[in-house]
């Protein structure tokens, strides 16, 4: 049995989906597009039921990918039952989608989700609604798992005798004429096709033309003009109005508003967080606290994982970690170079991936919280006029903010931008945002060289990156990534307390994706870098005599222009594979914090950080960029852009301070 | 006038959605249709976009997009001061509510005089003087 979940965005669709399928679910993409597809399985009274979560949509026009996916799925896959998840607290608009679904399918179970919230707004006569619609209507509170059993029952035993959405007589007559005309084409559901032909729906128009229905389209055009003349408006407005009046009428039949005009909690929160003066500072403060939380909580876990893998050097000697122990153990039955490759190369790489995990998971935890609570939509509202200048819609801020955590999920998150040009623009800017790994390195270096105020130094780098992203975005959007701005019709949903379960699932889905994709690449890259760092055989790992060391010495004269020491260059090369490694490499090459302090001046250290802020994204980010754009040219462009900016800022800073004789 | 010209706190009744294509259709499917009531909630701190309430939910539109929506400015009856003469332009409710209002002489096109604005609200219609609850007065739009 095949069941499809449909509904508006922000209706708790995924909560119901999770409650139905538990952890038996698979997240992928709809064929050929970047829209997420979720499938799961459940068993109801011995029947195996496949559940597909359709993308959240407001209607079923042919204007967005999500809408086309949804309707094509219903037409082509013919699910046995559609479950329309309705936000009961926003009944009227949610019923509009139901009017469109009713034209496509006859077996629809209506779920009035968030029913507890709705009861504060109006009293709803569920019985009456079910009677009018001729469909099973159930109430649910998805986040508390309420109503799921009823839903399962209705999926199997529901009685369906749906009411037709009726248009005015002079429209109905014309719909029927088209139904007759398309009979030879044999397309189902005929009434839906007829309505869409009348509405001049682009996709249906194409399909009918392909099937040789040119004459039908001509006739339909004539009928359309007639209707437009009768009612004095365009067909889209008219047909939407007719359906809306059905939704409107139904809404008023079954719901009696209570507490009209009262002040809601959402309104009170919005009054503060989108306040004219305090809105933006609050946004910055929330982001600051969020990242503080991520790093503070992640740090002990990261240290623990690091300790397990790499051991610890103390005054009295080295406490061996997993890597050392395993290396020694393998020496018993394999040559030293192989054991070193396996352990110092790959196992250490795995350690690096795992150390990164707590940050990624916490980051997604926070972001899921912000998203599920409704605040992210306010961010889009607050930031839109800034983002617009960069050629992005308000939501474009989200991948950029995510970039502060990790550019890999951030690049993945650009999928929320529909316009391809906007998406590329957003991807091109993203690596310029310092990720958590780079911020860690900056924090470490700042604490060595600027012990009196490391936070200020770190802050200066963050601000610089934001200014660069902004200016570059502005330039790009006017030149190479020029596009029409997307219509920015954004819903501001009421604030809701996210549930732990919802957030955990969200967090797991995204972290798992990262671990699998980026993890593999990082381990692979660690193996490759081992080859360059440990060979020729016999040299110290990553030492100036290794291939990497030789390369660093060869390039050192250029590095001096930026104040970079050969060791710093080596660390940057390693950083290409994973930015956080830069600290370790500096540590290994110099031996101690003190040695690092004496090897560079604070000016050099700052110049080094400037270089590191922008130079090429790490392997994992590049792999993701390529994966998302499938363009080598574009991926290469991103690398080039990074080096150009790194060289520009580092050189300008180092030269200027030298000329001016500034010292710290 | 255009939706983008309304100020926070003001209400409009939609007359027409101009334009074609994705934006046009998107506005329609959000319920911005002729006859719908829109309230301007607040303006983003940076001046754009603007938050609107429509049919009980909230959306954000850029000013440029809101300028595709033609509206007539209206006011809920509950905001009308004492002794004003107004004309009803829209009643937001189902058949039952519209009938109940009609029985009191409150119907689209009819004139009303506010005897007492609050609380409770008293209005004089062609059928006499009636008392209205706050919730009711919120759903009657006048000009």
């Amino acid at each position: 049995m095949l069941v499809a979940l449909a509904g508006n965005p922000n209706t708790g669709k995924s909560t119901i989906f999770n409650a139905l399928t538990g952890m038996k679910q698979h997240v992928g993409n709809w064929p050929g597009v970047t829209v997420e597809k979720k499938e799961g399985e459940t068993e109801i009274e011995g029947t195996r039921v496949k559940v597909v979560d359709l993308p959240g949509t407001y209607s079923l026009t042919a204007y967005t990918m999500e809408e086309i996916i949804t309707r094509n799925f219903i037409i082509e896959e013919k699910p046995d039952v559609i479950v329309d998840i309705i936000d009961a607290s926003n009944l009227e608009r949610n019923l509009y989608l139901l009017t469109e679904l009713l034209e496509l399918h006859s077996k629809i179970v209506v779920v009035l989700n968030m029913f507890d919230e709705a009861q504060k707004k109006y009293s709803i006569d569920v019985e009456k609604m079910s009677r009018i619609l001729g469909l099973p209507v159930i109430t649910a509170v998805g986040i508390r798992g309420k109503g799921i059993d009823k839903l399962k029952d209705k999926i199997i035993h529901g009685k369906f005798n749906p009411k037709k959405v009726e248009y005015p007589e002079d429209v109905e007559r014309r719909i029927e004429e088209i139904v007759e005309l398309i009979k030879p084409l044999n397309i189902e559901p005929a009434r839906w096709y007829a309505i869409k032909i009348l509405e001049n729906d682009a996709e249906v128009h194409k399909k009918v033309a392909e099937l040789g229905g040119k004459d039908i389209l001509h006739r339909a055009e004539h009928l359309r003009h007639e209707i437009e003349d009768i009612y004095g408006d365009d067909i889209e407005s008219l047909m939407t109005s007719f359906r809306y009046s059905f939704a409107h009428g139904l809404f008023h039949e079954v719901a009696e508003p209570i507490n009209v005009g009262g002040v809601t909690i959402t309104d009170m929160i919005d009054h503060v967080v989108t306040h004219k003066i305090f809105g933006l500072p609050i946004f910055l403060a929330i982001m600051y606290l969020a990242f503080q939380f991520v790093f503070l909580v992640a740090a002990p876990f990261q240290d623990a994982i690091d300790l397990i893998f790499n051991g610890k050097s103390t005054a009295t000697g080295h406490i061996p970690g997993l890597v050392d122990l395993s290396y020694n153990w393998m020496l018993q039955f394999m040559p030293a170079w192989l054991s070193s490759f396996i352990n110092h190369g790959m196992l250490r790489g795995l350690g690096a991936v795992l150390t990164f995990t707590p940050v990624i998971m916490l980051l997604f935890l926070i972001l899921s919280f912000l998203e599920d609570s409704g605040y992210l939509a306010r961010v889009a509202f607050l930031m839109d006029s800034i983002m617009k200048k960069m050629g992005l819609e308000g939501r474009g801020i989200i991948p950029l903010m995510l970039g502060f955590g990790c550019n890999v999920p951030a690049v993945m998150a650009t999928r929320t931008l529909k316009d391809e040009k906007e998406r590329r623009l957003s991807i091109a800017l993203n690596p310029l945002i310092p990720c958590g790994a780079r911020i860690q390195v900056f924090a470490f270096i700042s604490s060595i060289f600027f012990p009196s105020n490391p936070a200020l130094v770190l802050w200066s780098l963050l601000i610089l990156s934001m200014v660069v992203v902004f200016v570059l975005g502005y330039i790009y959007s006017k030149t190479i990534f020029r596009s029409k701005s997307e219509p920015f019709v954004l819903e501001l949903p009421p604030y809701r307390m996210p549930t732990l379960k919802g957030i955990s699932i969200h967090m797991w889905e995204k972290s798992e994706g990262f671990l699998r994709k980026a993890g593999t690449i990082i381990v692979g890259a660690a193996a490759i870098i081992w080859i360059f760092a440990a060979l020729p055989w016999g040299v110290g790992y990553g030492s100036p005599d290794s291939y990497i060391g030789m390369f660093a010495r060869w390039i050192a004269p250029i590095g001096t222009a930026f104040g970079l020491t050969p060791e710093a260059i080596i660390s940057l090369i390693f950083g290409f594979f994973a930015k956080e490694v830069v600290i370790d490499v500096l540590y290994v090459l110099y031996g101690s914090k003190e040695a690092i302090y004496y090897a560079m001046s604070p000016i050099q250290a700052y110049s080094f950080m400037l270089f590191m802020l922008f130079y090429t994204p790490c392997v994992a980010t590049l792999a993701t960029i390529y994966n998302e754009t499938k363009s080598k040219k574009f991926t290469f462009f991103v690398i080039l852009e990074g080096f150009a900016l790194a060289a520009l800022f580092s050189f300008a800073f180092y030269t200027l301070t030298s000329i001016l004789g500034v010292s710290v | 006038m255009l939706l983008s010209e309304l100020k926070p706190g003001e209400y409009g009744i939609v007359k027409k959605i101009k334009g074609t294509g994705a934006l046009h259709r998107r506005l329609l499917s959000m319920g911005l249709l002729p006859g719908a009531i829109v309230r301007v909630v607040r303006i983003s701190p940076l001046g754009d976009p603007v938050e609107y309430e429509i049919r009980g939910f909230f959306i954000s539109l850029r000013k440029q997009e809101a300028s595709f929506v033609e509206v007539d400015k209206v006011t809920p009856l509950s905001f009308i001061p004492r002794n004003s003469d107004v004309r009803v332009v829209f009643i937001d409710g189902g058949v039952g509510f519209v009938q109940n209002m009609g029985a009191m002489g409150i119907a689209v096109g009819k004139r009303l005089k506010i005897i007492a604005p609050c609380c409770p609200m008293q209005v004089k219609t062609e059928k006499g003087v009636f008392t209205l609850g706050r919730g009711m007065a919120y759903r009657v739009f006048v000009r």
Side-chain angles (χ1 to χ4, degrees):
Chain A
M1 190 178 191
L2 179 62
V3 171
L5 302 191
N8 281 189
N10 304 309
T11 53
K13 213 155 56 71
S14 46
T15 319
I16 301 270
F17 176 76
N18 291 334
L20 271 179
T21 61
M23 284 312 248
K24 269 196 217 154
Q25 45 176 275
H26 170 76
V27 184
N29 276 358
W30 292 90
V33 292
T34 48
V35 180
E36 196 177 79
K37 180 183 190 180
K38 280 206 253 176
E39 288 176 309
E41 235 174 62
T42 185
E43 205 179 281
I44 311 174
E45 296 174 24
T47 312
R48 279 164 69 89
V49 179
K50 187 173 154 193
V51 187
V52 176
D53 192 11
L54 296 170
T57 60
Y58 294 108
S59 61
L60 296 178
T61 65
Y63 282 111
T64 72
M65 221 58 234
E66 285 84 352
E67 293 177 328
I68 294 172
I69 288 169
T70 299
R71 53 192 233 181
N72 285 353
F73 182 86
I74 297 171
I75 294 170
E76 282 154 24
E77 307 291 322
K78 301 186 179 61
D80 297 285
V81 171
I82 294 178
V83 177
D84 182 16
I85 316 281
I86 280 180
D87 171 4
S89 66
N90 186 356
L91 204 50
E92 190 177 350
R93 194 200 64 211
N94 276 262
L95 286 174
Y96 177 74
L97 180 67
L98 181 63
T99 64
E100 295 219 68
L101 289 172
L102 275 169
E103 283 167 356
L104 269 178
H105 204 276
S106 57
K107 290 187 169 181
I108 303 173
V109 178
V110 179
V111 177
L112 298 178
N113 197 23
M114 310 197 212
F115 197 68
D116 51 343
E117 231 178 275
Q119 279 174 315
K120 292 174 204 154
K121 267 176 99 175
Y122 17 68
S123 63
I124 302 175
D125 189 340
V126 182
E127 261 307 297
K128 193 175 179 186
M129 189 168 163
S130 174
R131 220 167 43 236
I132 296 174
L133 283 169
L135 297 172
V137 179
I138 62 153
T139 62
V141 184
I143 51 169
R144 283 188 241 299
K146 278 187 194 163
I148 302 301
D149 291 337
K150 260 189 295 175
L151 170 60
K152 284 183 176 175
D153 181 66
K154 292 296 178 196
I155 287 174
I156 301 285
H157 302 295
K159 299 263 181 297
F160 305 92
N161 183 21
K163 184 182 167 62
K164 198 169 69 171
V165 178
E166 282 188 31
Y167 297 87
E169 174 51 34
D170 29 18
V171 178
E172 278 294 337
R173 218 174 46 233
R174 290 173 173 85
I175 292 173
E176 273 152 35
E177 184 181 334
I178 302 176
V179 169
E180 286 303 315
L181 288 174
I182 58 173
K183 264 188 182 155
L185 300 184
N186 225 351
I187 40 179
E188 285 292 332
R191 184 176 161 84
W192 181 80
Y193 272 107
I195 292 168
K196 290 294 153 187
I197 291 169
L198 192 62
E199 280 183 53
N200 204 14
D201 179 282
E203 289 279 307
V204 168
H205 193 281
K206 210 167 73 192
K207 182 165 177 177
V208 173
E210 276 166 15
L211 290 171
K214 287 252 165 61
D215 298 343
I216 303 172
L217 295 173
H218 274 299
R219 177 67 188 148
E221 197 181 332
H222 178 71
L223 295 172
R224 179 160 59 245
H225 290 318
E226 283 180 357
I227 294 175
E228 287 178 337
D229 286 344
I230 296 171
Y231 290 93
D233 209 340
D234 60 277
I235 195 80
E236 287 188 334
S237 300
L238 289 171
M239 297 300 274
T240 315
S241 282
F242 297 143
R243 282 189 290 263
Y244 246 109
S245 52
F246 177 87
H248 184 78
L250 178 63
F251 166 64
H252 283 296
E253 279 293 317
V254 301
E256 194 54 50
I258 41 181
N259 195 23
V260 181
V263 178
T264 61
I265 294 173
T266 293
D267 199 48
M268 286 193 281
I269 298 175
D270 272 340
H271 192 69
V272 178
V273 302
T274 59
H275 188 271
K276 214 178 251 180
I277 298 160
F278 304 122
L280 290 173
I282 288 172
F283 164 63
L284 292 176
I286 288 176
M287 287 300 115
Y288 179 76
L289 289 176
F291 292 133
Q292 279 289 327
F293 170 80
V294 168
F295 292 121
L296 279 178
V297 177
F301 291 101
Q302 290 184 298
D303 291 347
I305 294 167
D306 189 47
L307 187 70
I308 291 168
F309 274 86
N310 298 324
K312 196 178 183 198
S313 299
T314 62
T316 50
H318 185 75
I319 303 168
L322 202 57
V323 172
D324 305 304
L325 294 174
S326 166
Y327 171 75
N328 288 331
W329 175 68
M330 284 189 190
L331 278 184
Q332 295 170 9
F333 51 86
M334 60 172 68
W337 66 267
L338 185 58
S339 178
S340 178
F341 175 71
I342 292 174
N343 294 295
H344 297 147
M346 292 170 61
L347 189 61
R348 192 170 277 165
L350 182 68
V353 173
L354 288 180
T355 355
F356 213 26
T357 316
V359 172
I360 292 286
M361 290 185 75
L362 284 164
L363 186 83
F364 277 119
L365 177 89
I366 286 281
L367 279 161
S368 304
F369 183 87
L370 292 176
E371 189 176 356
D372 293 357
S373 67
Y375 185 66
L376 228 43
R378 272 69 186 183
V379 173
F381 178 66
L382 286 171
M383 300 309 293
D384 186 60
S385 62
I386 294 180
M387 299 311 291
K388 198 171 56 179
K389 293 199 178 72
M390 302 167 53
L392 296 171
E393 58 153 309
R395 263 168 296 192
I397 187 80
I398 294 162
L400 288 183
M401 283 185 342
L402 264 168
F404 284 108
C406 176
N407 301 113
V408 174
V411 168
M412 282 154 61
T414 58
R415 290 177 190 194
T416 50
L417 302 172
K418 296 213 181 71
D419 187 282
E420 193 56 32
K421 278 264 171 69
E422 264 190 49
R423 202 166 160 230
R424 288 207 167 191
L425 165 61
S426 180
I427 295 177
L429 296 178
N430 207 283
L432 308 178
I433 298 277
C435 60
R438 267 175 285 173
I439 293 173
Q440 268 181 58
V441 176
F442 297 150
F444 176 79
I445 295 173
S446 303
S447 70
I448 296 177
F449 288 94
F450 308 95
S452 59
N453 207 341
L456 184 72
V457 173
L458 188 55
W459 202 236
S460 72
L461 291 166
L462 295 185
I463 298 288
L464 174 71
S465 74
M466 285 190 257
V467 171
V468 168
V469 164
F470 184 79
V471 172
L472 214 56
Y474 179 81
I475 296 169
Y476 281 167
S477 69
K478 294 271 180 280
T479 53
I480 37 179
F481 297 108
R482 196 166 165 174
S483 79
K484 281 188 301 182
S485 273
E486 271 273 290
F488 183 63
V489 182
L490 174 82
E491 190 184 356
L492 298 168
Y495 289 102
R496 296 193 171 107
M497 198 58 191
T499 59
L500 197 64
K501 194 181 165 198
I503 289 184
S504 326
I505 291 178
H506 224 125
M507 177 176 92
W508 176 243
E509 273 172 15
K510 292 192 174 150
S511 311
E512 195 238 342
F514 164 78
L515 282 178
R516 222 163 4 97
K517 285 191 182 147
T520 325
I521 298 167
I522 293 181
V523 173
I528 294 168
I529 202 169
W530 178 88
I531 293 170
F532 289 103
L535 299 179
W537 184 243
V539 302
Y541 186 78
S543 73
D545 297 320
S546 66
Y547 285 131
I548 286 182
M550 285 185 229
F551 178 72
R553 268 187 295 164
W554 177 71
I555 210 167
I558 302 172
T560 51
F562 311 107
L564 299 176
T565 63
E567 288 83 356
I569 295 175
I570 297 178
S571 75
L572 288 173
I573 297 171
F574 277 90
F576 172 59
F577 294 90
K579 299 283 167 88
E580 68 275 22
V581 182
V582 167
I583 304 171
D584 302 329
V585 175
L586 284 177
Y587 216 93
V588 169
L589 291 179
Y590 282 116
S592 70
K593 262 190 183 183
E594 291 72 34
I596 298 174
Y597 178 74
Y598 288 114
M600 286 186 240
S601 71
I603 295 289
Q604 275 179 300
Y606 196 78
S607 182
F608 170 65
M609 289 194 282
L610 281 175
F611 197 90
M612 181 166 170
L613 182 58
F614 295 121
Y615 87 117
T616 177
C618 68
V619 166
T621 307
L622 284 177
T624 313
I625 291 175
Y626 176 70
N627 202 29
E628 294 291 321
T629 58
K630 297 274 182 272
S631 162
K632 282 183 189 140
K633 208 173 118 192
F634 181 78
T635 312
F636 189 68
F637 166 79
V638 175
I639 300 176
L640 214 68
E641 167 200 69
F643 272 110
L645 287 167
L648 175 72
F649 280 97
S650 180
F651 180 77
F653 173 78
Y654 192 64
T655 317
L656 233 65
T657 47
S658 309
I659 291 167
L660 300 173
V662 181
S663 66
V664 182
Chain B
M1 71 194 296
L2 302 176
L3 181 58
S4 51
E5 293 164 347
L6 287 180
K7 293 184 190 61
E10 294 183 341
Y11 291 74
I13 182 164
V14 177
K15 277 166 64 189
K16 188 172 171 53
I17 313 286
K18 295 184 290 184
T20 53
L23 175 67
H24 181 242
R25 198 54 195 254
R26 189 75 194 277
L27 295 174
L28 295 175
S29 39
M30 293 301 248
L32 267 173
L33 289 161
I37 295 284
V38 193
R39 176 171 71 100
V40 185
V41 182
R42 56 174 63 84
I43 300 176
S44 172
L46 298 166
D48 199 25
V50 179
E51 181 181 349
Y52 298 97
E53 180 180 6
I54 169 165
R55 297 176 198 261
F57 63 95
F58 300 85
I59 57 169
S60 148
L61 290 181
R62 287 178 181 161
K63 281 186 176 160
Q64 193 255 333
E65 285 150 6
S67 66
F68 280 92
V69 183
E70 266 178 39
V71 295
D72 275 331
K73 196 180 153 187
V74 291
T75 314
L77 192 53
S78 47
F79 291 174
I80 303 291
R82 189 185 302 268
N83 288 331
S84 321
D85 269 308
V86 291
R87 201 162 51 86
V88 177
V89 279
F90 185 74
I91 296 175
D92 186 17
V95 184
F97 184 71
V98 173
Q99 273 173 1
N100 289 343
M101 290 289 119
M104 292 191 274
I106 299 174
V108 172
K110 301 284 183 202
R111 302 204 75 89
L112 312 171
K113 189 179 169 95
I114 309 328
I115 307 292
C118 187
C119 292
M121 172 171 246
Q122 280 189 310
V123 293
K124 185 166 179 270
T125 71
E126 60 187 22
K127 292 188 180 174
V129 175
F130 297 92
T131 301
L132 288 181
R134 216 171 80 99
M136 289 176 174
Y138 249 113
R139 291 159 67 186
V140 175
F141 291 86
V142 299
R143 190 158 40 213

